[in-house]
Amino acid sequence: MAVLLKLLKKATVSSADLLAVYQKDFGEQIGSYGGALINSDRVPTGLFPLDLGLGGGFPRGRVSTIYGPESSNKTNIALRAIAMHQLLWPDLACVFVDVEYSFDPLWARQLGVDTERLIVLQPTHAEQVVDMVEGFLHTDDIGIVVIDSLAALVGQAELDASAEKQIVAGVATPVTKLVRKTAPALAEADKRGRQPTLIYINQIAYKVGVVFGDPEVMPGGKKPYHQSCLILRVYGKNVMDKKVSTVMPVLKEVKYVLKKWKCPVLSAEGKFDMVTLAHNGFEVGQCADYNTVSEYLQAFGEFEKGEKGKGWVILGEKYATLEPFRTRLYTDKKFGSHVRQLIIDRLLKEGGLSEEGGTFE
């Protein structure tokens, strides 16, 4: 501070001089020209059409929100993100905050989550959620934290009061505290070179009596909306196949819309089908994306016929037929993730930022 006061007494003070003082007092991470981060790493979901639209997945080191009506694949998307995070960053811890007390470890394992390495928290009231999430964001080995869901948060005061007592802003108050606590925790983590990812899951509610405009609102108010780098709105639909099962849906058809994004994305809307019942060689949590992957590789010149029309050359490797590549794409998770990420990286590199929407086209 003494150096700053001395600097300010000079006849002329440049912004560069002042920035240098702040960097010396508070560390170089306090600020820089242009910022050090151009495009953050992503946490993929393994659902390629969704990852493609998101520009690779959920941004690491930032906050994202998934919301929609019941049974719209919100929790499944978050669990897929955890599964891929465990695969790509095995040394980092993953936390699932089960506010709704609905976590099913058997289903999570089917989606690829290693539940033995997953920390599952089941707090009794909202204040516990805020304190525990803030605490984990300050740990050195935290990778991803998922809160399911903001709409289920209940403050201690509401739990202690009679059901007859009206509680004003019962959800918004703890959610506001959550945002205020996690924002500086994420900022501090970034300064220390860590990139913990925070994902909020939320539901939808409806304004009463709305005739014009969008009647949908998210419980907890707008605070998470402003904090989030990505807002993902999902719509789910069950798909039946009587050849496989007459009682259980085999697919979840999901349409998504990006309501807000503060990072490069490749599409503001799209759809995908996630397998919910193993069939035709597909496992639960996978997405039938072979045609999409092969078409992009062909467009990039990485999917061609071999010499004299025999076999195929895909990404520089020779295959006698297409079936071995297709099988490897789904069974070898690291290989499949690598191929899909190559496509996304190529599109991001060759595209240009749109001035209006901030998307890659």
mmCIF file of all heavy atoms in Angstrom, residues 58-105:
data_model
loop_
_atom_site.group_PDB
_atom_site.id
_atom_site.type_symbol
_atom_site.label_atom_id
_atom_site.label_comp_id
_atom_site.label_asym_id
_atom_site.label_seq_id
_atom_site.Cartn_x
_atom_site.Cartn_y
_atom_site.Cartn_z
ATOM 1 N N PHE A 58 -18.569 -29.332 -20.787
ATOM 2 C CA PHE A 58 -18.708 -28.270 -19.786
ATOM 3 C C PHE A 58 -17.339 -27.669 -19.486
ATOM 4 O O PHE A 58 -16.370 -28.405 -19.285
ATOM 5 C CB PHE A 58 -19.338 -28.820 -18.507
ATOM 6 C CG PHE A 58 -20.740 -29.325 -18.684
ATOM 7 C CD1 PHE A 58 -20.999 -30.695 -18.701
ATOM 8 C CD2 PHE A 58 -21.792 -28.450 -18.854
ATOM 9 C CE1 PHE A 58 -22.288 -31.172 -18.877
ATOM 10 C CE2 PHE A 58 -23.091 -28.911 -19.037
ATOM 11 C CZ PHE A 58 -23.339 -30.267 -19.045
ATOM 12 N N PRO A 59 -17.232 -26.350 -19.454
ATOM 13 C CA PRO A 59 -15.921 -25.720 -19.230
ATOM 14 C C PRO A 59 -15.380 -25.999 -17.839
ATOM 15 O O PRO A 59 -16.092 -25.863 -16.840
ATOM 16 C CB PRO A 59 -16.207 -24.226 -19.433
ATOM 17 C CG PRO A 59 -17.671 -24.081 -19.182
ATOM 18 C CD PRO A 59 -18.306 -25.357 -19.632
ATOM 19 N N ARG A 60 -14.113 -26.382 -17.770
ATOM 20 C CA ARG A 60 -13.469 -26.641 -16.480
ATOM 21 C C ARG A 60 -13.167 -25.321 -15.770
ATOM 22 O O ARG A 60 -12.863 -24.313 -16.384
ATOM 23 C CB ARG A 60 -12.174 -27.424 -16.670
ATOM 24 C CG ARG A 60 -12.340 -28.817 -17.215
ATOM 25 C CD ARG A 60 -10.999 -29.541 -17.224
ATOM 26 N NE ARG A 60 -10.534 -29.841 -15.875
ATOM 27 C CZ ARG A 60 -9.273 -30.074 -15.546
ATOM 28 N NH1 ARG A 60 -8.336 -30.010 -16.479
ATOM 29 N NH2 ARG A 60 -8.935 -30.348 -14.301
ATOM 30 N N GLY A 61 -13.260 -25.362 -14.454
ATOM 31 C CA GLY A 61 -12.951 -24.184 -13.663
ATOM 32 C C GLY A 61 -14.077 -23.175 -13.618
ATOM 33 O O GLY A 61 -13.895 -22.077 -13.081
ATOM 34 N N ARG A 62 -15.234 -23.528 -14.159
ATOM 35 C CA ARG A 62 -16.355 -22.586 -14.208
ATOM 36 C C ARG A 62 -17.646 -23.267 -13.746
ATOM 37 O O ARG A 62 -17.663 -24.445 -13.419
ATOM 38 C CB ARG A 62 -16.518 -22.020 -15.617
ATOM 39 C CG ARG A 62 -15.253 -21.364 -16.160
ATOM 40 C CD ARG A 62 -15.528 -20.609 -17.431
ATOM 41 N NE ARG A 62 -14.280 -20.156 -18.051
ATOM 42 C CZ ARG A 62 -14.239 -19.407 -19.148
ATOM 43 N NH1 ARG A 62 -15.358 -19.044 -19.746
ATOM 44 N NH2 ARG A 62 -13.081 -19.035 -19.659
ATOM 45 N N VAL A 63 -18.718 -22.492 -13.765
ATOM 46 C CA VAL A 63 -20.024 -22.978 -13.319
ATOM 47 C C VAL A 63 -20.925 -23.192 -14.527
ATOM 48 O O VAL A 63 -20.963 -22.356 -15.444
ATOM 49 C CB VAL A 63 -20.688 -21.976 -12.350
ATOM 50 C CG1 VAL A 63 -22.036 -22.510 -11.870
ATOM 51 C CG2 VAL A 63 -19.774 -21.695 -11.173
ATOM 52 N N SER A 64 -21.640 -24.307 -14.552
ATOM 53 C CA SER A 64 -22.634 -24.581 -15.590
ATOM 54 C C SER A 64 -23.937 -25.006 -14.919
ATOM 55 O O SER A 64 -23.926 -25.559 -13.816
ATOM 56 C CB SER A 64 -22.159 -25.680 -16.541
ATOM 57 O OG SER A 64 -20.970 -25.309 -17.214
ATOM 58 N N THR A 65 -25.045 -24.746 -15.583
ATOM 59 C CA THR A 65 -26.359 -25.114 -15.066
ATOM 60 C C THR A 65 -27.106 -25.968 -16.081
ATOM 61 O O THR A 65 -27.140 -25.630 -17.268
ATOM 62 C CB THR A 65 -27.208 -23.869 -14.740
ATOM 63 O OG1 THR A 65 -26.589 -23.127 -13.696
ATOM 64 C CG2 THR A 65 -28.609 -24.258 -14.287
ATOM 65 N N ILE A 66 -27.658 -27.081 -15.621
ATOM 66 C CA ILE A 66 -28.529 -27.928 -16.438
ATOM 67 C C ILE A 66 -29.922 -27.855 -15.835
ATOM 68 O O ILE A 66 -30.087 -28.112 -14.637
ATOM 69 C CB ILE A 66 -28.056 -29.398 -16.442
ATOM 70 C CG1 ILE A 66 -26.571 -29.498 -16.795
ATOM 71 C CG2 ILE A 66 -28.895 -30.228 -17.395
ATOM 72 C CD1 ILE A 66 -25.992 -30.895 -16.573
ATOM 73 N N TYR A 67 -30.918 -27.503 -16.626
ATOM 74 C CA TYR A 67 -32.268 -27.449 -16.067
ATOM 75 C C TYR A 67 -33.299 -27.900 -17.096
ATOM 76 O O TYR A 67 -33.033 -27.912 -18.297
ATOM 77 C CB TYR A 67 -32.583 -26.047 -15.537
ATOM 78 C CG TYR A 67 -33.029 -25.041 -16.572
ATOM 79 C CD1 TYR A 67 -34.366 -24.660 -16.685
ATOM 80 C CD2 TYR A 67 -32.113 -24.447 -17.439
ATOM 81 C CE1 TYR A 67 -34.767 -23.729 -17.623
ATOM 82 C CE2 TYR A 67 -32.510 -23.511 -18.364
ATOM 83 C CZ TYR A 67 -33.847 -23.155 -18.463
ATOM 84 O OH TYR A 67 -34.240 -22.230 -19.396
ATOM 85 N N GLY A 68 -34.448 -28.278 -16.596
ATOM 86 C CA GLY A 68 -35.519 -28.745 -17.453
ATOM 87 C C GLY A 68 -36.585 -29.440 -16.622
ATOM 88 O O GLY A 68 -36.484 -29.518 -15.395
ATOM 89 N N PRO A 69 -37.631 -29.969 -17.267
ATOM 90 C CA PRO A 69 -38.696 -30.663 -16.536
ATOM 91 C C PRO A 69 -38.235 -32.023 -16.032
ATOM 92 O O PRO A 69 -37.091 -32.428 -16.258
ATOM 93 C CB PRO A 69 -39.809 -30.791 -17.581
ATOM 94 C CG PRO A 69 -39.075 -30.829 -18.885
ATOM 95 C CD PRO A 69 -37.883 -29.922 -18.713
ATOM 96 N N GLU A 70 -39.133 -32.726 -15.355
ATOM 97 C CA GLU A 70 -38.786 -34.042 -14.828
ATOM 98 C C GLU A 70 -38.486 -35.005 -15.970
ATOM 99 O O GLU A 70 -39.050 -34.906 -17.061
ATOM 100 C CB GLU A 70 -39.929 -34.584 -13.955
ATOM 101 C CG GLU A 70 -41.183 -35.000 -14.708
ATOM 102 C CD GLU A 70 -42.016 -33.819 -15.149
ATOM 103 O OE1 GLU A 70 -41.722 -32.692 -14.722
ATOM 104 O OE2 GLU A 70 -42.964 -34.027 -15.929
ATOM 105 N N SER A 71 -37.577 -35.951 -15.705
ATOM 106 C CA SER A 71 -37.222 -36.996 -16.658
ATOM 107 C C SER A 71 -36.741 -36.434 -17.998
ATOM 108 O O SER A 71 -37.096 -36.935 -19.058
ATOM 109 C CB SER A 71 -38.421 -37.930 -16.907
ATOM 110 O OG SER A 71 -38.031 -39.077 -17.628
ATOM 111 N N SER A 72 -35.933 -35.396 -17.934
ATOM 112 C CA SER A 72 -35.403 -34.805 -19.165
ATOM 113 C C SER A 72 -33.906 -35.059 -19.318
ATOM 114 O O SER A 72 -33.253 -34.427 -20.134
ATOM 115 C CB SER A 72 -35.689 -33.296 -19.204
ATOM 116 O OG SER A 72 -35.164 -32.650 -18.054
ATOM 117 N N ASN A 73 -33.346 -35.972 -18.518
ATOM 118 C CA ASN A 73 -31.952 -36.409 -18.634
ATOM 119 C C ASN A 73 -30.960 -35.490 -17.926
ATOM 120 O O ASN A 73 -29.752 -35.570 -18.179
ATOM 121 C CB ASN A 73 -31.542 -36.569 -20.099
ATOM 122 C CG ASN A 73 -30.871 -37.894 -20.379
ATOM 123 O OD1 ASN A 73 -31.327 -38.925 -19.885
ATOM 124 N ND2 ASN A 73 -29.804 -37.892 -21.150
ATOM 125 N N LYS A 74 -31.415 -34.637 -17.030
ATOM 126 C CA LYS A 74 -30.522 -33.692 -16.347
ATOM 127 C C LYS A 74 -29.455 -34.424 -15.535
ATOM 128 O O LYS A 74 -28.253 -34.192 -15.709
ATOM 129 C CB LYS A 74 -31.343 -32.774 -15.421
ATOM 130 C CG LYS A 74 -32.441 -31.990 -16.106
ATOM 131 C CD LYS A 74 -33.136 -31.043 -15.159
ATOM 132 C CE LYS A 74 -33.873 -31.744 -14.031
ATOM 133 N NZ LYS A 74 -34.999 -32.560 -14.487
ATOM 134 N N THR A 75 -29.894 -35.303 -14.635
ATOM 135 C CA THR A 75 -28.949 -36.024 -13.781
ATOM 136 C C THR A 75 -28.078 -36.970 -14.593
ATOM 137 O O THR A 75 -26.881 -37.124 -14.312
ATOM 138 C CB THR A 75 -29.698 -36.808 -12.694
ATOM 139 O OG1 THR A 75 -30.516 -35.901 -11.930
ATOM 140 C CG2 THR A 75 -28.731 -37.502 -11.754
ATOM 141 N N ASN A 76 -28.661 -37.592 -15.622
ATOM 142 C CA ASN A 76 -27.873 -38.503 -16.454
ATOM 143 C C ASN A 76 -26.725 -37.781 -17.154
ATOM 144 O O ASN A 76 -25.617 -38.314 -17.262
ATOM 145 C CB ASN A 76 -28.774 -39.172 -17.494
ATOM 146 C CG ASN A 76 -29.728 -40.182 -16.878
ATOM 147 O OD1 ASN A 76 -29.500 -40.661 -15.773
ATOM 148 N ND2 ASN A 76 -30.795 -40.505 -17.592
ATOM 149 N N ILE A 77 -26.976 -36.584 -17.641
ATOM 150 C CA ILE A 77 -25.924 -35.801 -18.294
ATOM 151 C C ILE A 77 -24.817 -35.484 -17.293
ATOM 152 O O ILE A 77 -23.622 -35.589 -17.602
ATOM 153 C CB ILE A 77 -26.507 -34.512 -18.903
ATOM 154 C CG1 ILE A 77 -27.418 -34.845 -20.081
ATOM 155 C CG2 ILE A 77 -25.395 -33.568 -19.344
ATOM 156 C CD1 ILE A 77 -28.169 -33.649 -20.637
ATOM 157 N N ALA A 78 -25.204 -35.098 -16.079
ATOM 158 C CA ALA A 78 -24.213 -34.787 -15.046
ATOM 159 C C ALA A 78 -23.398 -36.023 -14.665
ATOM 160 O O ALA A 78 -22.178 -35.943 -14.477
ATOM 161 C CB ALA A 78 -24.906 -34.213 -13.820
ATOM 162 N N LEU A 79 -24.058 -37.174 -14.546
ATOM 163 C CA LEU A 79 -23.347 -38.409 -14.214
ATOM 164 C C LEU A 79 -22.404 -38.829 -15.341
ATOM 165 O O LEU A 79 -21.313 -39.337 -15.078
ATOM 166 C CB LEU A 79 -24.343 -39.531 -13.913
ATOM 167 C CG LEU A 79 -25.133 -39.390 -12.607
ATOM 168 C CD1 LEU A 79 -26.187 -40.492 -12.506
ATOM 169 C CD2 LEU A 79 -24.199 -39.451 -11.394
ATOM 170 N N ARG A 80 -22.804 -38.601 -16.583
ATOM 171 C CA ARG A 80 -21.915 -38.896 -17.705
ATOM 172 C C ARG A 80 -20.686 -37.984 -17.668
ATOM 173 O O ARG A 80 -19.577 -38.416 -17.988
ATOM 174 C CB ARG A 80 -22.653 -38.723 -19.034
ATOM 175 C CG ARG A 80 -23.649 -39.827 -19.340
ATOM 176 C CD ARG A 80 -22.956 -41.143 -19.580
ATOM 177 N NE ARG A 80 -22.028 -41.048 -20.718
ATOM 178 C CZ ARG A 80 -21.001 -41.855 -20.913
ATOM 179 N NH1 ARG A 80 -20.741 -42.827 -20.032
ATOM 180 N NH2 ARG A 80 -20.205 -41.716 -21.958
ATOM 181 N N ALA A 81 -20.894 -36.726 -17.271
ATOM 182 C CA ALA A 81 -19.758 -35.805 -17.137
ATOM 183 C C ALA A 81 -18.803 -36.282 -16.044
ATOM 184 O O ALA A 81 -17.576 -36.217 -16.195
ATOM 185 C CB ALA A 81 -20.262 -34.389 -16.842
ATOM 186 N N ILE A 82 -19.360 -36.788 -14.939
ATOM 187 C CA ILE A 82 -18.518 -37.330 -13.867
ATOM 188 C C ILE A 82 -17.735 -38.543 -14.361
ATOM 189 O O ILE A 82 -16.529 -38.685 -14.090
ATOM 190 C CB ILE A 82 -19.380 -37.705 -12.647
ATOM 191 C CG1 ILE A 82 -19.922 -36.438 -11.956
ATOM 192 C CG2 ILE A 82 -18.586 -38.545 -11.655
ATOM 193 C CD1 ILE A 82 -20.867 -36.725 -10.811
ATOM 194 N N ALA A 83 -18.411 -39.428 -15.102
ATOM 195 C CA ALA A 83 -17.748 -40.630 -15.616
ATOM 196 C C ALA A 83 -16.585 -40.271 -16.536
ATOM 197 O O ALA A 83 -15.498 -40.860 -16.439
ATOM 198 C CB ALA A 83 -18.764 -41.505 -16.360
ATOM 199 N N MET A 84 -16.777 -39.299 -17.415
ATOM 200 C CA MET A 84 -15.720 -38.893 -18.326
ATOM 201 C C MET A 84 -14.608 -38.161 -17.583
ATOM 202 O O MET A 84 -13.431 -38.283 -17.934
ATOM 203 C CB MET A 84 -16.294 -38.014 -19.435
ATOM 204 C CG MET A 84 -17.250 -38.734 -20.373
ATOM 205 S SD MET A 84 -16.513 -40.180 -21.177
ATOM 206 C CE MET A 84 -15.250 -39.398 -22.181
ATOM 207 N N HIS A 85 -14.970 -37.400 -16.561
ATOM 208 C CA HIS A 85 -13.961 -36.710 -15.757
ATOM 209 C C HIS A 85 -13.065 -37.726 -15.050
ATOM 210 O O HIS A 85 -11.841 -37.560 -14.986
ATOM 211 C CB HIS A 85 -14.638 -35.791 -14.741
ATOM 212 C CG HIS A 85 -13.712 -34.800 -14.105
ATOM 213 N ND1 HIS A 85 -12.751 -35.158 -13.179
ATOM 214 C CD2 HIS A 85 -13.584 -33.461 -14.255
ATOM 215 C CE1 HIS A 85 -12.085 -34.086 -12.791
ATOM 216 N NE2 HIS A 85 -12.557 -33.041 -13.445
ATOM 217 N N GLN A 86 -13.668 -38.781 -14.514
ATOM 218 C CA GLN A 86 -12.876 -39.836 -13.860
ATOM 219 C C GLN A 86 -11.953 -40.520 -14.851
ATOM 220 O O GLN A 86 -10.840 -40.933 -14.487
ATOM 221 C CB GLN A 86 -13.814 -40.860 -13.217
ATOM 222 C CG GLN A 86 -14.569 -40.340 -12.002
ATOM 223 C CD GLN A 86 -15.514 -41.383 -11.428
ATOM 224 O OE1 GLN A 86 -16.087 -42.190 -12.166
ATOM 225 N NE2 GLN A 86 -15.678 -41.377 -10.120
ATOM 226 N N LEU A 87 -12.387 -40.643 -16.084
ATOM 227 C CA LEU A 87 -11.571 -41.292 -17.107
ATOM 228 C C LEU A 87 -10.396 -40.413 -17.537
ATOM 229 O O LEU A 87 -9.273 -40.894 -17.691
ATOM 230 C CB LEU A 87 -12.449 -41.631 -18.324
ATOM 231 C CG LEU A 87 -11.754 -42.293 -19.520
ATOM 232 C CD1 LEU A 87 -11.287 -43.695 -19.153
ATOM 233 C CD2 LEU A 87 -12.689 -42.335 -20.726
ATOM 234 N N LEU A 88 -10.644 -39.117 -17.696
ATOM 235 C CA LEU A 88 -9.634 -38.209 -18.226
ATOM 236 C C LEU A 88 -8.720 -37.636 -17.147
ATOM 237 O O LEU A 88 -7.556 -37.342 -17.407
ATOM 238 C CB LEU A 88 -10.313 -37.072 -18.996
ATOM 239 C CG LEU A 88 -11.142 -37.494 -20.214
ATOM 240 C CD1 LEU A 88 -11.868 -36.291 -20.809
ATOM 241 C CD2 LEU A 88 -10.251 -38.132 -21.270
ATOM 242 N N TRP A 89 -9.261 -37.453 -15.943
ATOM 243 C CA TRP A 89 -8.469 -36.901 -14.834
ATOM 244 C C TRP A 89 -8.625 -37.812 -13.611
ATOM 245 O O TRP A 89 -9.287 -37.456 -12.627
ATOM 246 C CB TRP A 89 -8.919 -35.476 -14.498
ATOM 247 C CG TRP A 89 -8.704 -34.511 -15.622
ATOM 248 C CD1 TRP A 89 -7.549 -33.877 -15.954
ATOM 249 C CD2 TRP A 89 -9.692 -34.059 -16.573
ATOM 250 N NE1 TRP A 89 -7.742 -33.064 -17.040
ATOM 251 C CE2 TRP A 89 -9.042 -33.159 -17.451
ATOM 252 C CE3 TRP A 89 -11.046 -34.335 -16.765
ATOM 253 C CZ2 TRP A 89 -9.700 -32.533 -18.501
ATOM 254 C CZ3 TRP A 89 -11.704 -33.723 -17.810
ATOM 255 C CH2 TRP A 89 -11.037 -32.829 -18.666
ATOM 256 N N PRO A 90 -8.041 -39.010 -13.661
ATOM 257 C CA PRO A 90 -8.263 -40.013 -12.599
ATOM 258 C C PRO A 90 -7.721 -39.606 -11.231
ATOM 259 O O PRO A 90 -8.148 -40.165 -10.219
ATOM 260 C CB PRO A 90 -7.531 -41.255 -13.127
ATOM 261 C CG PRO A 90 -6.514 -40.722 -14.087
ATOM 262 C CD PRO A 90 -7.137 -39.514 -14.715
ATOM 263 N N ASP A 91 -6.794 -38.649 -11.185
ATOM 264 C CA ASP A 91 -6.209 -38.246 -9.906
ATOM 265 C C ASP A 91 -7.057 -37.212 -9.164
ATOM 266 O O ASP A 91 -6.767 -36.900 -8.002
ATOM 267 C CB ASP A 91 -4.804 -37.670 -10.132
ATOM 268 C CG ASP A 91 -3.840 -38.712 -10.682
ATOM 269 O OD1 ASP A 91 -4.066 -39.903 -10.417
ATOM 270 O OD2 ASP A 91 -2.890 -38.327 -11.388
ATOM 271 N N LEU A 92 -8.087 -36.678 -9.825
ATOM 272 C CA LEU A 92 -8.911 -35.651 -9.201
ATOM 273 C C LEU A 92 -10.207 -36.257 -8.660
ATOM 274 O O LEU A 92 -10.757 -37.191 -9.242
ATOM 275 C CB LEU A 92 -9.234 -34.541 -10.203
ATOM 276 C CG LEU A 92 -8.029 -33.754 -10.741
ATOM 277 C CD1 LEU A 92 -8.491 -32.695 -11.740
ATOM 278 C CD2 LEU A 92 -7.248 -33.118 -9.604
ATOM 279 N N ALA A 93 -10.684 -35.707 -7.560
ATOM 280 C CA ALA A 93 -11.881 -36.224 -6.892
ATOM 281 C C ALA A 93 -13.155 -35.642 -7.513
ATOM 282 O O ALA A 93 -13.171 -34.510 -7.994
ATOM 283 C CB ALA A 93 -11.838 -35.884 -5.400
ATOM 284 N N CYS A 94 -14.221 -36.435 -7.484
ATOM 285 C CA CYS A 94 -15.530 -36.013 -7.976
ATOM 286 C C CYS A 94 -16.525 -36.091 -6.823
ATOM 287 O O CYS A 94 -16.521 -37.055 -6.049
ATOM 288 C CB CYS A 94 -15.998 -36.905 -9.123
ATOM 289 S SG CYS A 94 -14.916 -36.867 -10.569
ATOM 290 N N VAL A 95 -17.397 -35.092 -6.727
ATOM 291 C CA VAL A 95 -18.364 -35.004 -5.636
ATOM 292 C C VAL A 95 -19.763 -34.852 -6.217
ATOM 293 O O VAL A 95 -19.988 -34.022 -7.110
ATOM 294 C CB VAL A 95 -18.052 -33.817 -4.703
ATOM 295 C CG1 VAL A 95 -19.117 -33.707 -3.607
ATOM 296 C CG2 VAL A 95 -16.667 -33.961 -4.090
ATOM 297 N N PHE A 96 -20.694 -35.651 -5.703
ATOM 298 C CA PHE A 96 -22.104 -35.553 -6.090
ATOM 299 C C PHE A 96 -22.911 -35.217 -4.846
ATOM 300 O O PHE A 96 -22.968 -36.019 -3.910
ATOM 301 C CB PHE A 96 -22.590 -36.865 -6.710
ATOM 302 C CG PHE A 96 -23.976 -36.803 -7.289
ATOM 303 C CD1 PHE A 96 -24.171 -36.419 -8.611
ATOM 304 C CD2 PHE A 96 -25.088 -37.111 -6.520
ATOM 305 C CE1 PHE A 96 -25.451 -36.357 -9.157
ATOM 306 C CE2 PHE A 96 -26.361 -37.050 -7.050
ATOM 307 C CZ PHE A 96 -26.544 -36.672 -8.370
ATOM 308 N N VAL A 97 -23.509 -34.023 -4.833
ATOM 309 C CA VAL A 97 -24.303 -33.575 -3.686
ATOM 310 C C VAL A 97 -25.756 -33.957 -3.937
ATOM 311 O O VAL A 97 -26.449 -33.331 -4.737
ATOM 312 C CB VAL A 97 -24.166 -32.061 -3.459
ATOM 313 C CG1 VAL A 97 -24.882 -31.652 -2.174
ATOM 314 C CG2 VAL A 97 -22.692 -31.659 -3.393
ATOM 315 N N ASP A 98 -26.209 -34.991 -3.255
ATOM 316 C CA ASP A 98 -27.542 -35.563 -3.478
ATOM 317 C C ASP A 98 -28.550 -34.896 -2.552
ATOM 318 O O ASP A 98 -28.956 -35.472 -1.535
ATOM 319 C CB ASP A 98 -27.484 -37.074 -3.252
ATOM 320 C CG ASP A 98 -28.808 -37.764 -3.546
ATOM 321 O OD1 ASP A 98 -29.609 -37.193 -4.305
ATOM 322 O OD2 ASP A 98 -29.030 -38.855 -3.004
ATOM 323 N N VAL A 99 -28.979 -33.706 -2.922
ATOM 324 C CA VAL A 99 -29.950 -32.969 -2.107
ATOM 325 C C VAL A 99 -31.310 -33.646 -2.140
ATOM 326 O O VAL A 99 -32.055 -33.630 -1.163
ATOM 327 C CB VAL A 99 -30.070 -31.510 -2.600
ATOM 328 C CG1 VAL A 99 -30.987 -30.698 -1.686
ATOM 329 C CG2 VAL A 99 -28.691 -30.848 -2.658
ATOM 330 N N GLU A 100 -31.642 -34.278 -3.257
ATOM 331 C CA GLU A 100 -32.953 -34.913 -3.416
ATOM 332 C C GLU A 100 -33.007 -36.326 -2.838
ATOM 333 O O GLU A 100 -34.067 -36.956 -2.854
ATOM 334 C CB GLU A 100 -33.323 -34.952 -4.902
ATOM 335 C CG GLU A 100 -33.463 -33.573 -5.537
ATOM 336 C CD GLU A 100 -33.840 -33.651 -6.999
ATOM 337 O OE1 GLU A 100 -33.821 -34.772 -7.556
ATOM 338 O OE2 GLU A 100 -34.164 -32.615 -7.584
ATOM 339 N N TYR A 101 -31.883 -36.847 -2.359
ATOM 340 C CA TYR A 101 -31.819 -38.213 -1.830
ATOM 341 C C TYR A 101 -32.347 -39.238 -2.842
ATOM 342 O O TYR A 101 -33.124 -40.124 -2.507
ATOM 343 C CB TYR A 101 -32.606 -38.304 -0.520
ATOM 344 C CG TYR A 101 -31.831 -37.814 0.680
ATOM 345 C CD1 TYR A 101 -31.518 -36.465 0.828
ATOM 346 C CD2 TYR A 101 -31.391 -38.683 1.679
ATOM 347 C CE1 TYR A 101 -30.797 -35.999 1.911
ATOM 348 C CE2 TYR A 101 -30.665 -38.232 2.765
ATOM 349 C CZ TYR A 101 -30.372 -36.890 2.878
ATOM 350 O OH TYR A 101 -29.639 -36.441 3.952
ATOM 351 N N SER A 102 -31.910 -39.093 -4.075
ATOM 352 C CA SER A 102 -32.378 -39.990 -5.134
ATOM 353 C C SER A 102 -31.227 -40.651 -5.887
ATOM 354 O O SER A 102 -31.453 -41.268 -6.931
ATOM 355 C CB SER A 102 -33.253 -39.208 -6.125
ATOM 356 O OG SER A 102 -32.520 -38.133 -6.700
ATOM 357 N N PHE A 103 -30.008 -40.532 -5.365
ATOM 358 C CA PHE A 103 -28.858 -41.110 -6.061
ATOM 359 C C PHE A 103 -28.921 -42.630 -6.039
ATOM 360 O O PHE A 103 -29.125 -43.249 -4.992
ATOM 361 C CB PHE A 103 -27.553 -40.640 -5.401
ATOM 362 C CG PHE A 103 -26.319 -41.238 -6.015
ATOM 363 C CD1 PHE A 103 -25.848 -40.795 -7.236
ATOM 364 C CD2 PHE A 103 -25.632 -42.268 -5.364
ATOM 365 C CE1 PHE A 103 -24.701 -41.348 -7.799
ATOM 366 C CE2 PHE A 103 -24.491 -42.824 -5.919
ATOM 367 C CZ PHE A 103 -24.031 -42.358 -7.146
ATOM 368 N N ASP A 104 -28.757 -43.238 -7.211
ATOM 369 C CA ASP A 104 -28.795 -44.697 -7.361
ATOM 370 C C ASP A 104 -27.413 -45.161 -7.825
ATOM 371 O O ASP A 104 -27.045 -44.973 -8.989
ATOM 372 C CB ASP A 104 -29.852 -45.093 -8.389
ATOM 373 C CG ASP A 104 -30.023 -46.604 -8.494
ATOM 374 O OD1 ASP A 104 -29.170 -47.343 -7.940
ATOM 375 O OD2 ASP A 104 -30.990 -47.053 -9.128
ATOM 376 N N PRO A 105 -26.616 -45.761 -6.936
ATOM 377 C CA PRO A 105 -25.258 -46.176 -7.336
ATOM 378 C C PRO A 105 -25.250 -47.219 -8.446
ATOM 379 O O PRO A 105 -24.331 -47.240 -9.265
ATOM 380 C CB PRO A 105 -24.664 -46.727 -6.040
ATOM 381 C CG PRO A 105 -25.831 -47.050 -5.160
ATOM 382 C CD PRO A 105 -26.890 -46.075 -5.524
#
